[in-house]
Amino acid sequence: MKKPTIKGNSIHIPSSQEYLSDVDSFLEGILRGYGVMEETIADIAISVTEIVNNSIIHGNRSDLDKEVTVSIERKDGAIEIVIGDEGNGFDPTAVQNPVDEDNLMREVGRGIFIVRSLMDSVKFDFLPGKGTRVTLSKKIS
């Protein structure tokens, strides 16, 4: 079975939730090395976990032959994290609003809403035949 691999400021994991803790440890180690405040680290870690989880389940359909990649970079007073999968993408405008009354009791569907509330920007790119790439940004200064 494949294992997580780290190359510079990127981690590649097989599409299994078993490796979420590897991503979290990798991410928090780099953010602490950058001197990021613990509260900001928590916001970023929650957001990345949500997107990686979506990439594993919805993007790669938990196919262990497909990978999720997380890259982190500090630039222009912000942290930028790019999460990529090998799935077929989705329409973010089709995601139902979790605070609509009809959706309040649903047990799923809040991940993107939470990420948008914790990060300064969230951008989705869909690459035909090459998966989805989500770019998260959070100011640190």
Side-chain angles (χ1 to χ4, degrees):
M1 177 182 235
K2 291 181 182 178
K3 297 284 183 186
T5 57
I6 295 173
K7 297 175 187 170
N9 283 359
S10 297
I11 184 169
H12 304 258
I13 63 165
S15 293
S16 169
Q17 292 172 305
E18 175 183 339
Y19 302 112
L20 287 172
S21 63
D22 293 280
V23 173
D24 194 52
S25 296
F26 165 78
L27 184 74
E28 289 184 9
I30 289 180
L31 292 172
R32 287 191 178 99
Y34 287 160
V36 176
M37 295 175 36
E38 289 298 317
E39 182 178 310
T40 302
I41 291 173
D43 289 349
I44 293 171
I46 290 167
S47 299
V48 170
T49 297
E50 286 290 337
I51 298 298
V52 169
N53 204 36
N54 285 348
S55 294
I56 291 168
I57 295 170
H58 303 296
N60 290 345
R61 306 269 183 218
S62 300
D63 181 344
L64 293 174
D65 290 329
K66 294 182 176 179
E67 289 187 340
V68 175
T69 301
V70 178
S71 300
I72 182 168
E73 183 178 0
R74 179 173 63 180
K75 63 182 187 183
D76 301 327
I79 298 294
E80 182 176 282
I81 299 115
V82 178
I83 300 128
D85 66 38
E86 300 177 65
N88 293 322
F90 70 102
D91 178 2
T93 63
V95 175
Q96 296 182 353
N97 183 347
V99 295
D100 279 351
E101 189 170 327
D102 291 343
N103 299 325
L104 289 177
M105 300 307 289
R106 292 185 65 206
E107 293 181 12
V108 296
R110 293 176 175 78
I112 293 173
F113 177 80
I114 292 168
V115 171
R116 285 185 168 140
S117 71
L118 294 174
M119 301 300 289
D120 294 322
S121 73
V122 180
K123 180 181 168 199
F124 295 92
D125 291 304
F126 305 101
L127 313 168
K130 295 184 179 179
T132 300
R133 185 170 52 206
V134 182
T135 303
L136 309 175
S137 181
K138 180 91 171 171
K139 291 182 181 155
I140 58 170
S141 56

